[in-house]
Amino acid sequence: MQVTMRSENHIGYVTLSNPPVNAIGQVLRMGLLEAVRWAERGRLDRVIVSGAGGVFAAGADAKEFDAAPQEPHLPEVLNAIDESFVPWIAAIEGVALGGGAEIAMACRMRIMAPGARIGLPEVTLGVIPGAGGTARLPRLVGLQKAVEMITTGKPIGAQEACSAGLVHTVEDDPIEAAFLVNSEALGCIVPTWEYHAPAHDADLFRMARENLQAKMPGQEAPVRALAVIEAGLALPFHAALAHERQVFLELKTGSQSKALRHLFFAQRAAKAPAHLKGAALEVQHAVVVGGGTMGAGIAYALVSSGVQVTILEADADGLKRAEDNIGKIIAASLSRGMIDAARAADLRSRLTLSTEYSQAATAQLAIEAAFEDMAVKQEILGKLDAVLSADAVLATNTSYLDLNEMAAPLMDPTRVIGLHFFAPAHIMKLLEIVQGAQSSDRAMATGYALAKRLGKVPVRAGVCDGFIGNRILARYREAADTVFMDGSTPWEVDDAMVEFGYAMGPYEAQDLSGLDIAYANRQRQAATRDPNRRYVPIADRMIELGKLGRKTGAGWYRYPGGGGKVEDPIVADLAIEEAHFSGITRTDYSSQEIRQRLVLAMINEAADILDAGIAQSAGDIDLVTVFGYGFPRWRGGLMHYADSLGVEKIVAQLEILAQEDTVAWKVSPFLRRCADAGQSLAEARPMR
Ligand code: T1G
């Protein structure tokens, strides 16, 4: 039974019970509607509705979204609650999200536990509230708050919900408190639908539209939600609900919602494979070697999750640098109000800085985060291997290097994995867990358990140069440099990718991370580079000119006075010069052509990665591209987007490009096989 009902002294207790999060599917809706009838038949004094398992309800069951909606529909069920002569009180613990919050808003009264959260995150799934949220919330909290909550999808805490007027009171035991509510007082509260809609505010809506355009370009649901809230103000309540429902149903079948739901479930599926269950080492003490930007970020993420951390550095200068980097992160977190002084002190108390490797003897995990050089990393891993206890796990934060080569000289290479964090390591959600040829289940399981503890999205990657993400990035950049040299400019390329949905294009992004990192990689790869593959020398020229990016005041763009980016004609001329020397006739690429080439280049490379077993599934590649490289979330990730284009069409387009360059645009055999078999990338499995 997903809805249980019992009554005591004329009070009805209705419990939502569909573990793990009481998702509201057809069965639960039917149970709720039956509960309304049951309460009315019993002429109960009130109904107290709560959720089992410490959760009120996480919203409509998103697994039902691909199917045609089944009766009873949630709006009707909630109208029955709202219009019933038996008042309902929502006793909220855990989360009340989406349809869960809409159930609560249809109740006469809402009581929240102190740690509970309430919100309408529908836009994060590419839809809008579909059961009265866009009409009831403005009636309860006013226009400003409702617009903010619905267009951002961000839930709020109990105190904020109470001061906003969304809930009546915050109580440790909401069910008990609901029981104690004075019947007369309860009788005086009018049903939510009878509340007056707030007055229209043209300026508020204009500013909200501008804000969405600036902050969420390309995302449909927030803009539609805003329009539905606005339209609803001028309509009678039930007409507003009908309009809301129509837009909800339209968006539910749209590509953006499909993409966002795909990511939602892919993220939840990104867990330790079943065979690793129970093998993880519990990490109480971790060592991070290298207190640079990455090392400090990793250390901060670890202490924030309760781990004791020792940062090891080579010397006093290194210790000072580590201290400064950690200090910067803590100061930034304090200034943003993410932590308070007590928490900052607690985090610092878990951190030790030292040059003594003997300190690693009590650690369950050691992460090497030093300079991207094989010899440096092998030396560090060797030192750690010598002092760590036998069952401790040894990890490297390398972004590109061969894990097997790195582990080979060690006494126990089976305990080595890659834990590839993304900068800033305490913020970016993605964690590539790199499995070496000898990595043990215990080491891999420890990596996954750590990812869960740090709130990261774990993706297993095999060993190749750049693993999943950086290998795709290298191809993306190569395609960008080729388009730049053959007829475009960095800013045209960036604009084209921002139009596609990236927050920034490849050139502005590289100016942030520094052109020298990619240069060091090209130098490292020079000896093994395919001599038949075209090499675009522009980025090397930039290094020669000292244009390393923002950190040198100029890269692909200039940053006068450390301010915003300015297009640099000198950079554009570099391509004209290089093209001239190489006898290339430059072409005027449209934004569409630029986008197509860069995205096809990534898809083709990703298909090879999947075929080689470096990535386990297309869904994993979607997680990497979205959570690590800024691929537009509402496109569902690289491979989901590729499937929306169609593999056959992609192969046909790649074959045209291959006429220009048979090496760079060699069509991935994996793509051909999928096209021949009429299979999507999501369905297809590598032939290994
Ligand atoms: N539908 C179906 N399954 C869901 C679900 C949902 N709404 N929410 C969670 N799950 C599953 C999830 O896939 C996982 O399954 C398990 O529950 C635990 O989730 C009409 C249209 C609630 C904060 O957007 O934000 O209501 O992997 O691993 O970290 O207006 O889940 O174990 O098989 O995430 O503790 C709006 C989505 C829906 C909230 C819990 N609601 N969920 O986080 O656990 S649209 C949402 C969450 C809507 C109405 C509209 C989180 C959580 P499995 P988990 P968690």
Side-chain angles (χ1 to χ4, degrees):
M1 286 276 282
Q2 295 195 3
V3 176
T4 59
M5 299 163 251
R6 68 179 179 83
S7 69
E8 221 175 281
N9 305 328
H10 264 288
I11 293 185
Y13 294 88
V14 170
T15 307
L16 313 176
S17 177
N18 180 20
V21 293
N22 301 332
I24 308 162
Q26 187 192 20
V27 176
L28 197 145
R29 296 193 302 268
M30 290 163 72
L32 257 183
L33 192 56
E34 175 44 33
V36 176
R37 307 291 172 246
W38 162 79
E40 291 177 345
R41 280 196 304 274
R43 306 199 70 74
L44 296 178
D45 168 64
R46 69 190 68 176
V47 168
I48 301 172
V49 56
S50 61
V55 175
F56 187 77
D61 186 343
K63 293 196 182 86
E64 289 189 350
F65 280 24
D66 288 328
Q70 304 293 315
E71 295 202 346
H73 303 305
L74 195 55
E76 282 80 49
V77 175
L78 302 192
N79 288 348
I81 291 175
D82 201 355
E83 294 157 15
S84 177
F85 61 82
V86 177
W88 284 51
I89 304 177
I92 302 167
E93 286 178 317
V95 293
L97 300 176
E102 289 172 305
I103 293 173
M105 289 191 280
C107 294
R108 214 58 59 78
M109 208 173 175
R110 286 154 294 283
I111 302 175
M112 264 177 107
R117 289 181 302 134
I118 187 165
L120 294 170
E122 281 84 348
V123 291
T124 64
L125 292 175
V127 293
I128 67 169
T134 65
R136 289 194 173 93
L137 188 62
R139 281 168 167 73
L140 293 172
V141 301
L143 214 40
Q144 179 81 49
K145 191 72 181 172
V147 163
E148 182 203 312
M149 287 182 68
I150 293 173
T151 58
T152 64
K154 289 208 177 77
I156 60 176
Q159 284 314 333
E160 187 179 350
C162 195
S163 33
L166 180 49
V167 303
H168 294 77
T169 173
V170 178
E171 304 286 348
D172 291 339
D173 183 341
I175 295 177
E176 175 64 16
F179 168 77
L180 296 170
V181 169
N182 172 287
S183 293
E184 239 170 274
L186 183 58
C188 297
I189 304 175
V190 299
T192 311
W193 77 277
E194 289 181 17
Y195 280 56
H196 293 297
H200 184 267
D201 179 336
D203 288 341
L204 185 151
F205 281 107
R206 179 180 46 73
M207 285 192 288
R209 269 188 292 276
E210 286 163 9
N211 182 41
L212 290 180
Q213 188 43 46
K215 293 236 178 81
M216 302 179 183
Q219 295 186 47
E220 204 183 344
V223 175
R224 300 295 297 277
L226 186 65
V228 166
I229 295 169
E230 185 169 20
L233 298 176
L235 294 169
F237 180 80
H238 292 94
L241 254 61
H243 174 54
E244 173 199 80
R245 186 74 182 171
Q246 185 207 329
V247 175
F248 163 72
L249 292 173
E250 182 202 323
L251 289 172
K252 186 166 78 77
T253 54
S255 63
Q256 291 199 7
S257 181
K258 284 198 170 85
L260 288 162
R261 279 182 276 133
H262 158 70
L263 277 178
F264 177 85
F265 288 113
Q267 193 183 341
R268 268 113 197 122
K271 292 183 179 134
H275 74 276
L276 291 180
K277 273 229 164 351
L281 207 56
E282 210 224 318
V283 178
Q284 277 128 13
H285 176 208
V287 160
V288 176
V289 181
T293 317
M294 283 308 289
I298 295 169
Y300 186 83
L302 288 164
V303 289
S304 301
S305 73
V307 176
Q308 287 297 123
V309 173
T310 304
I311 295 184
L312 290 178
E313 264 289 354
D315 53 30
D317 288 352
L319 289 177
K320 171 86 179 55
R321 184 181 60 140
E323 176 57 48
D324 292 350
N325 285 331
I326 283 280
K328 276 191 216 133
I329 299 176
I330 292 180
S333 303
L334 276 167
S335 66
R336 289 203 198 104
M338 294 154 80
I339 58 172
D340 58 19
R343 177 72 173 143
D346 170 50
L347 295 175
R348 278 192 178 285
S349 71
R350 294 171 197 285
L351 198 59
T352 310
L353 282 75
S354 172
T355 56
E356 299 304 320
Y357 270 70
S358 58
Q359 298 252 352
T362 56
Q364 291 80 29
L365 171 68
I367 305 175
E368 164 289 307
F371 181 62
E372 192 75 345
D373 176 88
M374 182 60 82
V376 170
K377 290 182 183 291
Q378 281 180 323
E379 192 209 337
I380 290 170
L381 292 186
K383 283 187 189 171
L384 290 167
D385 196 29
V387 292
L388 282 170
S389 62
D391 62 5
V393 171
L394 198 40
T396 168
N397 180 52
T398 181
S399 308
Y400 288 87
L401 302 179
D402 185 326
L403 193 79
N404 297 326
E405 183 188 337
M406 213 182 285
L410 301 177
M411 292 183 288
D412 178 8
T414 70
R415 62 162 157 194
V416 178
I417 55 172
L419 288 179
H420 180 208
F421 289 80
F422 291 77
H426 59 295
I427 295 173
M428 291 295 281
K429 293 263 299 168
L430 181 66
L431 181 63
E432 279 184 329
I433 303 181
V434 184
Q435 180 165 17
Q438 301 184 62
S439 299
S440 67
D441 283 357
R442 191 186 65 237
M444 288 299 289
T446 304
Y448 273 102
L450 186 79
K452 186 156 192 209
R453 185 170 181 176
L454 301 182
K456 301 292 186 193
V457 176
V459 172
R460 180 168 29 146
V463 174
C464 70
D465 200 309
F467 314 124
I468 301 172
N470 280 343
R471 183 170 153 184
I472 294 171
L473 179 69
R475 184 69 191 96
Y476 174 58
R477 287 243 173 87
E478 182 190 46
D481 284 355
T482 307
V483 164
F484 171 24
M485 176 148 167
D486 294 359
S488 187
T489 64
W491 23 104
E492 285 167 347
V493 173
D494 280 359
D495 290 349
M497 297 320 288
V498 168
E499 276 167 36
F500 181 74
Y502 278 88
M504 64 176 68
Y507 290 102
E508 188 183 357
Q510 198 173 46
D511 274 354
L512 263 181
S513 55
L515 279 70
D516 46 336
I517 297 171
Y519 177 70
N521 267 317
R522 288 193 302 278
Q523 299 297 96
R524 177 179 57 79
Q525 295 157 336
T528 55
R529 187 172 297 120
D530 174 355
N532 302 318
R533 194 179 185 98
R534 179 180 171 190
Y535 185 75
V536 178
I538 298 178
D540 294 347
R541 298 281 312 277
M542 295 288 286
I543 302 294
E544 291 151 19
L545 294 168
K547 292 178 178 289
L548 307 188
R550 269 183 177 273
K551 58 186 169 191
T552 54
W556 299 107
Y557 297 88
R558 285 186 304 109
Y559 301 89
K565 67 181 195 292
V566 175
E567 296 172 6
D568 186 348
I570 296 173
V571 171
D573 291 346
L574 275 182
I576 297 167
E577 244 175 67
E578 287 297 333
H580 174 70
F581 292 140
S582 317
I584 290 168
T585 311
R586 301 185 87 227
T587 318
D588 198 7
Y589 292 107
S590 69
S591 286
Q592 172 46 30
E593 283 172 311
I594 295 171
R595 268 193 296 279
Q596 188 189 58
R597 285 166 180 262
L598 273 58
V599 172
L600 284 177
M602 289 195 281
I603 293 170
N604 203 26
E605 190 69 26
D608 283 347
I609 287 172
L610 204 47
D611 205 17
I614 301 293
Q616 302 300 301
S617 69
D620 277 359
I621 294 178
D622 290 332
L623 293 175
V624 166
T625 51
V626 167
F627 289 102
Y629 296 82
F631 193 91
R633 199 182 269 257
W634 48 272
R635 292 188 186 277
L638 181 66
M639 301 309 252
H640 180 89
Y641 177 68
D643 275 337
S644 74
L645 296 176
V647 181
E648 276 177 63
K649 188 170 152 216
I650 289 169
V651 169
Q653 289 169 338
L654 284 168
E655 279 168 347
I656 294 167
L657 293 171
Q659 290 159 18
E660 283 176 26
D661 182 335
T662 53
V663 178
W665 293 111
K666 177 176 174 300
V667 180
S668 165
F670 187 79
L671 287 176
R672 280 195 194 288
R673 281 202 308 277
C674 290
D676 297 345
Q679 268 187 327
S680 71
L681 296 165
E683 297 156 333
R685 289 291 166 267
M687 291 229 295
R688 61 182 179 284

